């Protein structure tokens, strides 16, 4: 017996609402009501930092989560919400998963009379959540904004009053803040760091 199957028998009906309900994660932001977020990878690139640390987040259409928020997924992950597009159907966010904590200090000269005899560290921020990325020579070929001395880029909340020439401690290493970008990520500072060879 010959059975004829129509193409419609194998049609897959995509239901965005069903997918959202199945894979969503309940998340928190300080001083806001909890909301659900659907996390997805931002792309198919092979760069390890992009794969591990940058995500799209689908939010409800009237989400109160906004740029500058720190999102907790209650699975041990914290995210910086760095961009958001509003829509009448759903809001779409770009999120950077934090991967370190940093300490920022400012060197202050010590005097004996009129002579500088040393420097002390004045703490600007400690145990501060951050996202860091190591900078390669290849990255500098394609990003004209990267300084020659930059070895690491770090994203931090604007809660710290960081300035050029401050010292940043990351993974027990001391770095010199060479550039403070205040415009690329509203609500955050994007820092370029190089080796800090200054003595204490």
């Amino acid at each position: 017996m010959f059975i004829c199957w129509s193409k419609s028998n194998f049609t897959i009906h995509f239901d965005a609402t069903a997918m959202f309900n199945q894979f969503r994660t309940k998340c928190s932001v300080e001083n806001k009501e909890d909301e659900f977020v659907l996390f997805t990878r931002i792309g198919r690139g092979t760069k390890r930092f992009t794969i591990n640390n940058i995500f799209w987040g689908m939010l409800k259409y009237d989400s109160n989560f906004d740029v500058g928020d720190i999102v907790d997924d209650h699975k041990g992950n914290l995210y910086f919400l760095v961009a958001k597009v509003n829509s009448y159907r759903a809001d779409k966010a770009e999120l950077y998963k934090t991967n370190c904590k940093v300490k920022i200090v400012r060197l202050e000269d010590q005097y004996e009379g009129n002579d500088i005899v040393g420097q002390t560290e004045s703490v600007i921020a400690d145990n501060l959540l951050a996202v860091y990325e190591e900078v390669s020579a290849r990255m500098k070929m394609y990003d004209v904004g990267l300084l020659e001395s930059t070895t690491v880029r770090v994203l931090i909340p604007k809660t710290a009053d960081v300035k050029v020439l401050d010292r940043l401690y990351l993974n027990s290493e001391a770095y010199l803040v060479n550039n403070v970008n205040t415009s690329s990520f509203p609500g955050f500072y994007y820092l370029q760091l190089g080796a800090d060879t200054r003595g204490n």
Side-chain angles (χ1 to χ4, degrees):
M1 182 175 67
F2 178 76
I3 300 176
C4 180
W5 294 93
S6 68
K7 186 177 180 181
S8 61
N9 288 3
F10 299 97
T11 301
I12 297 175
H13 297 285
F14 177 76
D15 189 332
T17 302
M19 187 178 80
F20 183 86
N21 289 336
Q22 182 177 358
F23 296 106
R24 66 187 183 174
T25 300
K26 192 173 186 179
C27 295
S28 299
V29 168
E30 189 175 359
N31 298 323
K32 294 184 179 181
E33 291 188 8
D34 290 354
E35 295 185 14
F36 289 103
V37 180
L38 175 62
F39 291 95
T40 59
R41 299 289 179 183
I42 203 164
R44 296 183 178 182
T46 57
K47 188 177 177 184
R48 187 172 291 111
F49 176 80
T50 302
I51 294 171
N52 291 336
N53 294 92
I54 307 179
F55 296 84
W56 291 126
M58 192 69 70
L59 313 171
K60 64 177 184 174
Y61 75 94
D62 58 349
S63 172
N64 287 318
F65 290 3
D66 209 348
V67 172
D69 285 343
I70 299 175
V71 179
D72 185 348
D73 70 358
H74 303 290
K75 297 179 180 179
N77 302 309
L78 296 169
Y79 302 82
F80 292 161
L81 202 164
V82 300
K84 181 182 173 186
V85 177
N86 299 323
S87 167
Y88 75 96
R89 296 190 67 181
D91 292 350
K92 188 175 183 180
E94 182 180 352
L95 301 114
Y96 277 47
K97 186 168 71 172
T98 61
N99 56 5
C100 66
K101 290 185 177 180
V102 300
K103 179 180 179 180
I104 303 172
V105 301
R106 188 161 298 151
L107 300 186
E108 298 179 346
D109 293 334
Q110 286 182 304
Y111 290 88
E112 284 187 4
N114 293 325
D115 299 323
I116 298 175
V117 295
Q119 291 180 313
T120 58
E121 293 183 344
S122 175
V123 177
I124 304 302
D126 196 6
N127 212 32
L128 184 66
L129 277 172
V131 182
Y132 87 94
E133 177 185 18
E134 293 184 355
V135 173
S136 66
R138 180 178 177 83
M139 291 167 65
K140 293 178 183 178
M141 291 174 59
Y142 297 100
D143 189 340
V144 295
L146 282 172
L147 302 174
E148 183 62 31
S149 58
T150 297
T151 57
V152 173
R153 291 192 294 195
V154 171
L155 190 67
I156 62 169
K158 279 187 176 177
T159 53
D161 182 28
V162 62
K163 297 179 180 179
V164 171
L165 300 182
D166 283 345
R167 173 178 287 165
L168 185 145
Y169 286 101
L170 167 65
N171 297 332
S172 301
E173 296 289 334
Y175 292 91
L176 176 67
V177 178
N178 290 323
N179 180 265
V180 180
N181 183 326
T182 60
S183 59
S184 293
F185 294 90
F188 300 92
Y189 290 130
Y190 202 27
L191 311 178
Q192 292 191 46
L193 311 176
D196 192 343
T197 58
R198 298 171 296 179
N200 289 326

